[in-house]
Amino acid sequence: MDLSFILNELGEGHEENAGAVAPSIVPSVNFAFKTVAEMRQAFKDEYQIPLYSRGNNPTVDLLNKKVAALEQTEAALSFASGSAAVAAAVMANVAQGDHIVFIKNPYNWTNRLMNQLLPRFGVETTAVDGTDPENYRKAIRHNTKLLYLESPNTFTFELQDIEAVVNIAREHELLTIMDNSYATPINCKPSTFGVDLVVHAATKYLNGHSDALAGIVCGSEAMMRKIFYSEFMTLGATLSPFNAWLLLRGLRTLPLRMQRVSQTTAVLTQRLENHPKVAKVHYPFLPSHPQYELAKRQIAKGAGLFSIELKTADVKKVEMFSNQLQHFSLAASWGGYESLVWPYCAVYIPEGVTPAYPPNLIRFYAGLEDVDMLWGDLEAALSLI
Ligand SMILES: *Cc1c(COP(=O)(O)O)cnc(C)c1O
């Protein structure tokens, strides 16, 4: 299906609403039927038919259809947040006594799901360095059920060779789940590499405006029905119709936003790499990145996230630099219109816990601002330290 058709026309139905070109928000929680027979049919197929909005809602359903088409999967299910989507996709496919292999240093709350929540229910998990797909194979046990990918992750941008991991999974008849929040379906479609379930923090790029939390799981219709009748309905982390509508609006400009950030980030990362005060830049689309070739093979364009290590290891200087920035807000998250900075030294690390990264690591998110303004800001802050 053509990208423009998906984003502009698929499922829109203007004629039903006096020619309105914007989709309607259907806030109704409840849906009424004309006959008992129709009501019975809805109870029978709540996945498909609006009955009660924790299940199927027309505004949310339109979003599901568009994102499934973007990801080239049969179906999709939306959730109230990315973390809810990740948790539902994983939990629906494991039971007590099963084992999961996942990439080390994934999104923080995915890590907690794997390291803390699932083990409480008797699910075992192993974290592996995913830069070598063979590490997945080595960690597989007799009770392994699924392999979890996040390519790349969003602090140091290690990639996994998606095709190689999928092949290992197929040899062992395991399910694969991949977090595709970084690349978005504009730049990477994991289903075309054979990934079974694609999960998104739709809060980030799919929405793109930092004003709605959302998550989406994409995959076969059979798998969506399975998740729907277990985690989706019982945990009830439902996306509100209003937030679905914000997502539909955000999606219209997704390709333009991805185009813009790839251009901006290419300039910023190259200049930072050549700056005397910067020791290292972590960005998969720099030729110096150890996985540059793999990145180009799997992802069409770089996105707006990257990290640097300053030459100084002095936390005071890292703070001084970060505090000085005028056009990068000190904030977590990413994927909105606005540029952000997150020095790793801002993370609270409890006594006795070894930090995952060095204190001079700083993550940036380049938004939609003018590249010269952003570079001027970085240069001025670097000159201070
Ligand atoms: C933010 C994020 C999530 C979680 O999404 P929420 O909407 O915040 O729950 C999951 N994966 C990645 C890669 C993220 O960046």
Side-chain angles (χ1 to χ4, degrees), residues 186-227:
I186 300 302
N187 289 325
C188 177
K189 294 180 181 64
S191 73
T192 63
F193 295 94
V195 170
D196 297 299
L197 287 173
V198 181
V199 290
H200 277 285
T203 309
K204 310 292 168 54
Y205 273 136
L206 300 189
N207 176 55
H209 295 76
S210 301
D211 53 12
L213 282 164
I216 305 196
V217 182
C218 308
S220 69
E221 188 182 323
M223 189 55 90
M224 292 311 108
R225 283 181 180 273
K226 175 176 170 173
I227 298 172

Side-chain angles (χ1 to χ4, degrees), residues 79-86 106-110 148 150 152-154 179-182 199-204 212-215 305 333-334 363:
F79 291 80
S81 71
S83 293
V86 170
Y107 180 68
N108 182 32
W109 295 97
T110 302
Y148 187 91
E150 184 182 304
N153 59 0
T154 55
D179 186 328
N180 193 32
S181 304
Y182 172 92
V199 290
H200 277 285
T203 309
K204 310 292 168 54
L213 282 164
L305 282 171
S333 195
W334 54 276
R363 187 182 81 177

